[in-house]
Amino acid sequence: MVLLFGTTGTGKSTIANALITGPNNIELKDGLYNVIDPVKHNGQMVFKIGHKVKSETKAPKFTLLHRNDSSLYLVDGPGINDNNLKHEYSN
């Protein structure tokens, strides 16, 4: 299991997208990182990248990665010290 954690806005979701789809799928445009072809599940972006002070990841999100006959879970967690989270996720 790979758990991504850190302060809100430090790029956890960007790294999650790059780990899944490769670094060539992330572009820097106008000083912000964007996903060219985002990872989706049921039509929704799994690891959505936010570009505001308010956090985008509200609850832990995960996906199963398969590489070279191995599998592991990639978990994108909410930001540390994020005041916008529901109480049940902040502890």
Side-chain angles (χ1 to χ4, degrees):
M1 179 185 313
V2 175
L3 174 62
L4 301 172
F5 68 97
T7 306
T8 298
T10 56
K12 297 175 298 297
S13 298
T14 301
I15 291 171
N17 276 287
L19 287 171
I20 295 169
T21 62
N24 294 334
N25 193 39
I26 304 293
E27 67 178 354
L28 181 61
K29 184 176 180 181
D30 298 326
L32 301 172
Y33 287 99
N34 296 289
V35 181
I36 297 167
D37 186 22
V39 178
K40 293 186 178 180
H41 178 72
N42 292 333
Q44 297 289 332
M45 196 184 228
V46 176
F47 301 119
K48 189 172 180 185
I49 297 173
H51 294 299
K52 299 177 182 170
V53 175
K54 189 175 179 183
S55 64
E56 191 61 50
T57 306
K58 307 291 186 224
K61 296 184 180 184
F62 65 93
T63 192
L64 185 60
L65 292 176
H66 302 284
R67 295 281 193 274
N68 302 327
D69 298 326
S70 296
S71 298
L72 63 88
Y73 281 100
L74 177 61
V75 182
D76 182 18
I80 296 171
N81 295 328
D82 188 340
N83 293 329
N84 296 316
L85 297 178
K86 293 181 180 178
H87 179 69
E88 62 266 25
Y89 297 121
S90 63
N91 294 321

